[in-house]
Amino acid sequence: MKILCIGEALIDMICTDKGSSLSKGQHFLKKPGGAPTNVAAAIAALGGNVELAAKVGNDPFGKQLIDVMQEFGVSTRWMLQDANAFTTFAFVSLMEDGERDFVFNRGADGQLSREETDAIPLDEVNIIHFGSATGFLPGPLQAAYQGMLQKALMQDTIFISFDPNYRHLLFPNETQTFIDQSWNFLQSCHFFKLSDEEAMLITNTHSVTDAAQILLDKTNAVFTITLGKEGTLLGLKGKTEIIPSIPVQPVDTTGAGDAFVGAVLYQLREKDLRSIIQLSHSEWKQIIQNANKAGARTCEYLGAMEAFKHLSSSIFS
């Protein structure tokens, strides 16, 4: 059986001139990115059978993204190249005050259409993961997301995973739209992962404890709220528990959450939906402990894709 990840594939252009704005920065590091792309790479690095549905430009950067995924062992059958759109770029610079100078040049990723995703057969898919960073922005991808969710729900055999991947700089004036779309997925999926910031934003609360209670009340999913070095809060069957992480010397936290999600889905890859639903609290606790290890180990390297080259299922033992 296969895991299908759907969402954006893009190039991150990271300014390496610390403290410089994008207008003044001279040096940039080119990194393959996109949350669902990272999740797919992590699953493949661990040994899972995974496909990525995304759209890139018919340009050198789109080719790079496809090549990188193939090197990890991700099926790129549904990584489509658009001759009429450039590959999406995100330019990021970290300023002296800790704020990010950010410019998002959206191109091909937003052009993945519902007609194209409707063509993806789901008969061999037992898990679908939605990583929504750009999926909730207006455009064809938004409709493709909604269509794929409905298609998966109609199958009634597919485990649905969701990570909202909130980026304030993508939704500066449309936060409520992001929240409303997130709730649609939170109340439809079987598993979701939120950061502490996302949990409080989506539930309109000021503490993780209050956010977790609302999520317990309003959803039926197993969920996790990542808490950085403190570990992960697991919400399951009306109860919550914090699962500790492992100590590491962090170099870069980029991709840690995606590695966490990838590790969760990798551990569920050989189970059908009924078996996953019947997993006990102790079994979920072990899954989250392993996923915490994957997330923590990712922080030991610079860049998500570089970290995933060192990722293997041997860390779970």
Side-chain angles (χ1 to χ4, degrees):
M1 300 299 288
K2 297 176 183 176
I3 301 172
L4 174 66
C5 297
I6 177 172
E8 84 274 3
L10 51 80
I11 297 292
D12 285 317
M13 296 295 287
I14 303 166
C15 182
T16 57
D17 300 326
K18 292 185 178 180
S20 294
S21 65
L22 290 176
S23 64
K24 295 181 179 179
Q26 296 293 320
H27 304 92
F28 289 84
L29 194 60
K30 182 180 64 165
K31 292 285 188 179
T37 301
N38 288 342
V39 171
I43 293 169
L46 290 166
N49 186 2
V50 57
E51 293 186 320
L52 176 62
K55 184 168 277 192
V56 297
N58 187 15
D59 53 39
F61 307 104
K63 184 179 186 304
Q64 178 190 3
L65 284 161
I66 292 172
D67 288 346
V68 168
M69 288 297 98
Q70 290 176 345
E71 289 169 7
F72 275 104
V74 175
S75 170
T76 58
R77 178 170 51 154
W78 302 109
M79 284 188 74
L80 309 179
Q81 289 184 279
D82 192 329
N84 299 312
F86 55 85
T87 299
T88 298
F89 279 80
F91 292 84
V92 184
S93 179
L94 188 62
M95 306 296 286
E96 292 288 1
D97 59 5
E99 291 297 315
R100 290 179 181 268
D101 195 9
F102 179 85
V103 173
F104 188 61
N105 285 354
R106 196 178 198 198
D109 89 279
Q111 298 305 309
L112 184 68
S113 70
R114 181 165 183 172
E115 290 75 20
E116 289 164 334
T117 55
D118 279 348
I120 301 174
L122 299 183
D123 52 314
E124 294 182 358
V125 172
N126 65 329
I127 297 173
I128 292 182
H129 174 67
F130 296 86
S132 77
T134 69
F136 289 165
L137 294 171
L141 179 59
Q142 187 183 67
Y145 251 65
Q146 298 293 338
M148 183 57 78
L149 175 63
Q150 295 308 312
K151 186 177 177 180
L153 290 169
M154 288 176 64
Q155 292 277 340
D156 199 32
T157 57
I158 295 176
F159 182 80
I160 301 170
S161 167
F162 172 59
D163 183 349
N165 299 120
Y166 176 67
R167 302 289 183 268
H168 170 69
L169 294 166
L170 292 180
F171 296 88
N173 303 308
E174 300 291 338
T175 304
Q176 191 57 49
T177 298
F178 173 87
I179 293 171
D180 293 342
Q181 292 184 81
S182 292
W183 272 114
N184 179 41
F185 277 79
L186 294 175
Q187 295 179 320
S188 301
C189 68
H190 302 99
F191 170 79
F192 61 85
K193 172 245 152 191
L194 305 175
S195 68
D196 49 2
E197 176 194 10
E198 291 165 343
M200 290 184 285
L201 173 72
I202 290 171
T203 60
N204 192 29
T205 57
H206 299 287
S207 75
V208 170
T209 301
D210 290 342
Q213 187 57 55
I214 289 176
L215 294 168
L216 286 173
D217 293 340
K218 291 191 173 184
T219 73
N220 296 315
V222 177
F223 68 85
T224 55
I225 302 175
T226 52
L227 307 172
K229 64 180 181 180
E230 303 303 322
T232 302
L233 182 146
L234 170 64
L236 174 65
K237 297 178 181 178
K239 298 180 180 179
T240 62
E241 179 181 356
I242 293 179
I243 313 300
S245 188
I246 59 172
V248 294
Q249 293 295 325
V251 174
D252 180 12
T253 61
T254 303
D258 300 324
F260 174 92
V261 173
V264 169
L265 301 183
Y266 168 78
Q267 293 174 86
L268 301 174
R269 72 196 185 285
E270 295 180 349
K271 302 180 185 298
D272 59 26
L273 179 58
R274 177 175 295 182
S275 298
I276 297 173
I277 291 173
Q278 293 175 344
L279 288 172
S280 66
H281 181 275
S282 61
E283 288 172 314
W284 268 110
K285 184 175 179 179
Q286 184 61 57
I287 288 169
I288 302 307
Q289 285 176 335
N290 288 337
N292 280 346
K293 292 179 182 178
R297 292 300 182 202
T298 299
C299 296
E300 295 180 316
Y301 300 90
L302 182 62
M305 294 299 175
E306 180 61 33
F308 298 158
K309 294 177 183 177
H310 303 272
L311 194 59
S312 77
S313 57
S314 64
I315 66 171
F316 298 156
S317 58

